[in-house]
Amino acid sequence: MTPAKNYPSADGLWTGLRLASAPHEEAAVAVAQGAVRWAGPRGALPAEFAALAAIASHDGGGALATAGLVDCHTHLVYGGQRANEFAMRLAGATYEEVAKAGGGIVSSVRATREADEDTLFAQAAPRLEQLLADGVCAIEIKSGYGLSLAHERKQLRVARRLGEAYGVTVRTTFLGAHALPPEYADRPHGSADYIDLVCNEMLPALAAEGLVDAVDVFCERIAFSLAETEQVFQAAKALGLPVKLHAEQLSDMGGAALAARYGALSCDHIEHLSADGIEAMRRAGTVAVLLPGAYYTLRDTHLPPIDALRAAGVPMAVSTDHNPGTSPALSLLLMVNMACTLFRLTVPEALDGVTVHAARALGLQDTHGAIAAGMPANFVLWNVREAAELAYWFGQQPVRTVVRQGRIAIGA
């Protein structure tokens, strides 16, 4: 791995490009001090920016250019894997049978707790490299497989290390309220006791250490209730941290409406999202994050309410939901294809879903999701003729060049 600090600067004039917004005319992008200074038709390039060619001249060779992709929902840092459970389910095992065999989230918690930071980093790094090869320039990484202060801290520290090592924007999300730890399972008030620990000890400590960018909860009958979710949201609000929610994946709990009341950045999964939830999200400006990988792996048949979200104008993001149990996906472009084929998004909707709307779902709309003057240089050059090919092919990696954080990370 080449250290991110050794990636060459992207400063200079980039020509021979075709912007996805206007693919039939040559475009140019001017980069200085790691930021985009101008982007538009080559013939309209101001002389002051044309002079940047003296620093460096980069010929895109007619490549299509888009903003760097944003993977806005992942659980990338964890110990072990759960391929055996996948095989068991295919052979007919029930959820209860998998759990009795030591599987489920408890399996990932056990493996994560047993691994030290260096081991977790070594396991997560190849996964991140796969996503970066797809053009990802920003990624969210959740905790939630530690379920204790020491082990949640360990996950979040590894997430920060990954961002530094690879020169990629990492947003960390504290998901301590992901599942009930096994040591709380037999307590009379185990769930309430654990949520008290999350709110009063874990979250304040991790936030004070600068390890938390946002706070998430798995609000579901098999996880945490609305009241427990709100307790976590109140703790986050007291610390000035934004919230998001695993909402309405398996049933309509009313979590999306609750999250919207707290100005949530996003509500994710949302297969069972109600009309009231959609309206609350619309009013709050909350992004709907679609996770076709989990839908596919679980062989779900209850589609997210795409038409209703579209009609309401709720922005829709698309993400891998990379996790060891229900979405072991390592290609955001494959998720773009799935969002189109399974959820019937249009190509422009799906591409906005992994750029501008995904950036908004992480609160990164000022730094990611577009190629625009004043924003850090995060963009991708693709070996395709038209944008539809990014949704059309699967199993192909058409990346030519990736500029991340103002440096040429791929294709230098």
Side-chain angles (χ1 to χ4, degrees):
M1 180 190 76
T2 302
K5 63 183 180 181
N6 293 336
Y7 295 158
S9 171
D11 284 5
L13 184 64
W14 295 74
T15 57
L17 309 179
R18 294 175 300 110
L19 298 178
S21 57
H24 302 299
E25 61 180 336
E26 183 186 355
V29 175
V31 178
Q33 296 180 316
V36 175
R37 301 304 179 186
W38 189 90
R42 177 72 173 87
L45 178 68
E48 61 183 298
F49 298 118
L52 287 172
I55 297 175
S57 182
H58 306 277
D59 182 3
L64 185 78
T66 72
L69 306 190
V70 178
D71 198 353
C72 63
H73 180 131
T74 86
H75 307 250
L76 197 73
V77 175
Y78 55 85
Q81 45 83 11
R82 283 154 59 187
N84 62 318
E85 293 178 30
F86 178 69
M88 288 174 67
R89 289 197 302 268
L90 291 176
T94 64
Y95 181 88
E96 290 77 13
E97 289 169 338
V98 170
K100 286 180 181 178
I105 191 172
V106 174
S107 172
S108 292
V109 171
R110 184 186 312 113
T112 302
R113 288 179 172 184
E114 290 173 353
D116 62 20
E117 282 189 29
D118 289 341
T119 299
L120 290 175
F121 182 93
Q123 292 180 353
R127 302 171 197 143
L128 179 60
E129 289 171 6
Q130 287 288 311
L131 293 168
L132 298 181
D134 247 11
V136 168
C137 289
I139 186 169
E140 186 229 34
I141 301 178
K142 302 178 189 291
S143 65
Y145 289 119
L147 306 185
S148 71
L149 176 56
H151 297 299
E152 291 286 298
R153 175 187 287 122
K154 181 171 61 177
Q155 283 190 275
L156 294 168
R157 283 172 55 89
V158 170
R160 289 280 193 242
R161 282 179 59 187
L162 289 166
E164 294 168 3
Y166 286 91
V168 59
T169 302
V170 170
R171 298 291 280 182
T172 55
T173 296
F174 172 65
L175 182 56
H178 190 195
L180 194 63
E183 60 268 23
Y184 282 77
D186 295 327
R187 292 193 184 189
H189 306 289
S191 188
D193 291 346
Y194 180 62
I195 289 296
D196 285 343
L197 178 71
V198 165
C199 295
N200 300 326
E201 295 184 36
M202 293 167 66
L203 178 54
L206 296 170
E209 294 170 27
L211 293 174
V212 181
D213 296 322
V215 177
D216 195 356
V217 179
F218 185 19
C219 180
E220 193 54 73
R221 291 190 179 95
I222 63 171
F224 297 100
S225 69
L226 272 179
E228 290 167 334
T229 298
E230 185 161 23
Q231 188 178 341
V232 176
F233 283 179
Q234 288 172 345
K237 182 179 180 181
L239 293 168
L241 293 168
V243 300
K244 48 180 50 196
L245 190 66
H246 281 64
E248 273 73 274
Q249 180 184 9
L250 306 175
S251 62
D252 181 10
M253 292 277 290
L258 171 66
R261 290 204 301 274
Y262 281 82
L265 291 171
S266 69
C267 289
D268 305 30
H269 286 291
I270 59 164
E271 280 86 348
H272 294 264
L273 182 63
S274 68
D276 289 344
I278 292 172
E279 175 57 21
M281 291 172 66
R282 183 196 67 79
R283 291 196 304 267
T286 298
V287 177
V289 178
L290 307 175
L291 303 171
Y295 178 91
Y296 170 82
T297 302
L298 293 171
R299 294 184 286 182
D300 203 344
T301 57
H302 201 291
L303 285 166
I306 302 299
D307 288 341
L309 289 164
R310 184 183 287 134
V314 174
M316 294 181 284
V318 175
S319 184
T320 61
D321 186 22
H322 177 85
N323 74 81
T326 61
S327 187
L330 288 170
S331 170
L332 188 53
L333 287 182
L334 177 58
M335 298 304 103
V336 169
N337 174 274
M338 285 186 172
C340 294
T341 56
L342 299 177
F343 295 166
R344 298 295 188 265
L345 264 61
T346 66
V347 168
E349 285 174 336
L351 294 181
D352 283 349
V354 293
T355 52
V356 59
H357 298 324
R360 182 174 170 183
L362 296 181
L364 292 175
Q365 59 270 27
D366 294 332
T367 57
H368 289 268
I371 305 175
M375 296 181 70
N378 292 292
F379 58 85
V380 183
L381 309 187
W382 306 93
N383 289 318
V384 299
R385 293 304 305 166
E386 53 186 298
E389 291 186 67
L390 299 178
Y392 168 71
W393 300 107
F394 50 95
Q396 184 186 59
Q397 289 185 323
V399 165
R400 172 177 174 147
T401 303
V402 175
V403 172
R404 289 197 309 264
Q405 298 181 343
R407 294 187 173 274
I408 306 173
I410 297 175

